[in-house]
Amino acid sequence: MLKKEDYQQHISAKFNTELESLRNHMLSMGGKVEHQLSEALEALVKMDSGEAELIVRRDSEVNQMEMAIDDECATIIARRQPTASDLRLIIAIIKVNRDLERIGDEAAKVAKQAVRISEDGKSPSNFVEIKHIGAMVGVMLREALDAFARLDVDQAVAVVRDDDEVDKEYGSAMRSLITFMVEDPRNIGVILNEMWALRSLERIGDHACNIAEHVVYLVRGLDVRHGRLNELRDGDGEL
Amino acid sequence: MLKKEDYQQHISAKFNTELESLRNHMLSMGGKVEHQLSEALEALVKMDSGEAELIVRRDSEVNQMEMAIDDECATIIARRQPTASDLRLIIAIIKVNRDLERIGDEAAKVAKQAVRISEDGKSPSNFVEIKHIGAMVGVMLREALDAFARLDVDQAVAVVRDDDEVDKEYGSAMRSLITFMVEDPRNIGVILNEMWALRSLERIGDHACNIAEHVVYLVRGLDVRHGRLNELRDGDGEL
């Protein structure tokens, strides 16, 4: 016969397996979204509209994943009634899930701009800004997911700092693209498409930053959204 | 002595009070965000940079509200261990909360563009597009919050449909603004600022649409995100 303790251990082992599987689903959605982003950037720079259209179509797979993970979270909460730290993990996953879906959306928007750019013809910018900022946010996303997988606060804080850098680069990229528009108004159309793509990349950086902030919240129980990280940095010099 | 049933009724009455108060906090955050949006639009159209700066500063109040509501949700889940429909309500509030905070962010971005536009001088567009689309998304937001307050599916579906209209108007507004740029490249700066403001308004429409979709999910248990609503419309002609 099963003793009560064995039974509870059994329940708890099952619960851990469920949490682990939830975490894995979220991380594999992260991998998928990362892939969508890098393919969208490649399609844009190569002006490959066929590839870009494939990426736009694949966004629905990411959307399906989001809904499945949400359902999984609701089922676990209802069935296991987790407390404190487990609940915090599940709520963090609900939020990261949303950020990942948004990143997928923005990657699809980059791909849509790739289709338009391939129709409008080459840009005078040679996509220098897009390549540069695209590479930066790609690294941020990978590192944010890594930080989540290993619950690594230091890495998460590094991602939040990178986002400041991306915002600065974004500002200067915009100024240099405006120069191309002013120099020759025939460039306005293609440059606008590049600007929308850059805007999407900047948003992807924001979402990667959100993911990193959830890691800090999970590990430290400290809500660093909305500038609390800066307060802390200014306060005692370290987190 | 308290009987077990009385005790459970007592617990359940307290739980209902907590849920009701959570719902009210969310709706009052909604009201705040609505106010931020209408003030930002007014500041932009009147090119009032003083008012615009106040709005940007007030965004931190919205951010505080978001964190407080998240905490309230986590506390209720941990303490009451709600099942099925109550849990669905709380998860919906977590998500609506996020959408409202984003709307607050976008309203602050509109206010930032208002500051820039007041520096750049009057636009040749007379802000016709911004007034028009701003009014549309303002109505969408109010109706989405109303639909949530009254759990009114019909109104929620109407909001989702309005979003298609906003997307169409946004496309034609962009084309007319491009015309102003091409006609006179000296307009490029101010028109770009208008375009960013319009982009923010279009995003606010998307978030209002998300809120409406959560209402449909709550009432019908039907996930209409990611185009399911359209599938349904195409399928049996009505929801």
Side-chain angles (χ1 to χ4, degrees):
Chain A
M1 213 181 83
L2 216 62
K3 274 183 288 180
K4 195 184 166 199
E5 276 166 27
D6 291 339
Y7 180 69
Q8 276 173 342
Q9 265 190 357
H10 178 69
I11 289 280
S12 145
K14 259 192 104 169
F15 180 36
N16 283 336
T17 315
E18 284 176 11
L19 273 186
E20 193 53 32
S21 133
L22 174 62
R23 223 172 122 266
N24 286 337
H25 289 154
M26 195 214 80
L27 290 171
S28 88
M29 178 166 166
K32 174 105 185 166
V33 158
E34 233 185 280
H35 187 69
Q36 285 277 87
L37 170 62
S38 67
E39 300 268 288
L41 284 167
E42 209 178 297
L44 191 149
V45 171
K46 290 190 178 161
M47 306 207 294
D48 178 346
S49 67
E51 180 58 30
E53 272 159 14
L54 279 181
I55 296 159
V56 175
R57 239 171 289 148
R58 274 204 302 266
D59 188 41
S60 66
E61 293 167 28
V62 174
N63 297 344
Q64 293 300 326
M65 283 170 120
E66 186 206 5
M67 292 196 280
I69 289 173
D70 268 1
D71 285 347
E72 209 176 330
C73 290
T75 307
I76 294 180
I77 296 178
R79 192 190 295 159
R80 303 292 175 196
Q81 306 186 331
T83 45
S85 69
D86 288 336
L87 183 59
R88 210 152 66 185
L89 173 64
I90 296 172
I91 290 179
I93 288 178
I94 292 177
K95 285 162 180 276
V96 170
N97 191 28
R98 189 84 190 140
D99 282 307
L100 288 175
E101 187 269 336
R102 291 279 147 151
I103 294 176
D105 267 7
E106 298 293 345
K109 282 182 191 167
V110 172
K112 278 179 200 161
Q113 298 306 332
V115 174
R116 288 193 194 144
I117 287 172
S118 69
E119 287 159 2
D120 287 356
K122 195 118 186 98
S123 159
S125 75
N126 254 324
F127 309 121
V128 173
E129 291 81 6
I130 287 193
K131 283 181 206 160
H132 178 54
I133 295 181
M136 283 175 91
V137 299
V139 170
M140 276 178 74
L141 174 57
R142 189 168 334 115
E143 291 187 345
L145 288 167
D146 242 40
F148 198 100
R150 294 184 286 111
L151 293 178
D152 180 339
V153 174
D154 291 337
Q155 177 142 17
V157 170
V159 171
V160 177
R161 284 191 186 135
D162 285 346
D163 196 41
D164 294 342
E165 200 52 41
V166 167
D167 288 345
K168 245 181 264 168
E169 295 283 334
Y170 172 74
S172 86
M174 280 295 162
R175 283 188 293 277
S176 87
L177 289 178
I178 290 174
T179 313
F180 285 117
M181 282 183 164
V182 177
E183 275 173 4
D184 186 350
R186 282 171 302 176
N187 291 328
I188 288 175
V190 66
I191 295 283
L192 270 177
N193 291 333
E194 270 187 272
M195 284 180 164
W196 299 131
L198 269 180
R199 184 76 152 190
S200 289
L201 294 177
E202 186 251 351
R203 300 253 178 183
I204 290 175
D206 285 348
H207 288 295
C209 187
N210 290 345
I211 294 172
E213 287 173 347
H214 292 310
V215 175
V216 180
Y217 176 63
L218 254 181
V219 178
R220 295 280 176 96
L222 189 72
D223 210 324
V224 293
R225 289 176 294 175
H226 311 311
R228 290 282 301 277
L229 190 65
N230 288 324
E231 270 170 41
L232 268 166
R233 277 200 297 234
D234 296 345
D236 56 1
E238 57 175 339
L239 190 77
Chain B
M1 212 182 83
L2 215 61
K3 273 183 286 180
K4 198 185 164 199
E5 274 166 28
D6 292 339
Y7 179 69
Q8 274 173 343
Q9 266 189 356
H10 178 69
I11 289 280
S12 148
K14 259 193 105 171
F15 180 37
N16 283 337
T17 315
E18 283 176 12
L19 272 187
E20 192 53 30
S21 132
L22 174 61
R23 224 172 121 266
N24 287 336
H25 289 153
M26 196 214 80
L27 290 172
S28 89
M29 177 166 168
K32 174 107 185 164
V33 159
E34 231 184 284
H35 186 69
Q36 285 277 89
L37 170 61
S38 67
E39 301 268 288
L41 283 169
E42 207 177 298
L44 191 147
V45 171
K46 290 190 177 162
M47 305 205 295
D48 178 346
S49 68
E51 180 57 33
E53 271 159 15
L54 279 181
I55 295 159
V56 174
R57 238 172 289 147
R58 274 203 304 266
D59 188 41
S60 68
E61 293 167 28
V62 174
N63 296 342
Q64 294 299 325
M65 283 170 120
E66 184 205 5
M67 293 194 282
I69 289 172
D70 267 0
D71 285 347
E72 210 177 328
C73 290
T75 307
I76 294 180
I77 295 177
R79 193 191 294 160
R80 304 290 175 197
Q81 306 186 331
T83 45
S85 69
D86 289 335
L87 182 60
R88 210 151 68 181
L89 173 64
I90 297 171
I91 290 180
I93 288 178
I94 292 177
K95 285 164 180 273
V96 171
N97 191 28
R98 189 83 189 144
D99 282 306
L100 288 175
E101 187 269 335
R102 289 283 147 144
I103 293 175
D105 267 7
E106 299 294 343
K109 282 183 192 165
V110 172
K112 279 180 199 159
Q113 298 307 331
V115 174
R116 288 194 195 142
I117 287 172
S118 68
E119 288 160 359
D120 287 355
K122 194 115 187 100
S123 159
S125 76
N126 255 324
F127 309 122
V128 173
E129 291 80 7
I130 288 194
K131 283 182 208 160
H132 177 55
I133 294 181
M136 282 175 90
V137 300
V139 170
M140 275 178 75
L141 174 56
R142 189 170 334 116
E143 291 187 344
L145 288 168
D146 244 40
F148 198 100
R150 296 185 285 111
L151 294 179
D152 180 340
V153 175
D154 291 337
Q155 177 143 17
V157 170
V159 171
V160 176
R161 285 192 185 136
D162 285 347
D163 196 41
D164 294 341
E165 199 53 40
V166 167
D167 288 345
K168 246 181 263 166
E169 295 283 333
Y170 172 74
S172 87
M174 282 294 161
R175 282 188 294 276
S176 88
L177 289 177
I178 290 174
T179 313
F180 287 117
M181 282 182 162
V182 176
E183 274 172 5
D184 185 351
R186 282 171 302 177
N187 292 328
I188 287 175
V190 65
I191 295 282
L192 270 177
N193 292 334
E194 271 187 271
M195 284 181 164
W196 298 132
L198 268 181
R199 183 78 154 187
S200 289
L201 294 177
E202 185 253 349
R203 301 250 179 188
I204 290 175
D206 285 348
H207 288 294
C209 185
N210 290 345
I211 294 172
E213 287 173 347
H214 291 310
V215 175
V216 180
Y217 175 63
L218 255 180
V219 178
R220 296 279 176 96
L222 188 72
D223 211 325
V224 292
R225 291 176 293 176
H226 310 312
R228 289 283 301 278
L229 189 63
N230 287 325
E231 270 170 42
L232 267 167
R233 276 200 297 235
D234 296 344
D236 55 2
E238 57 175 341
L239 191 75

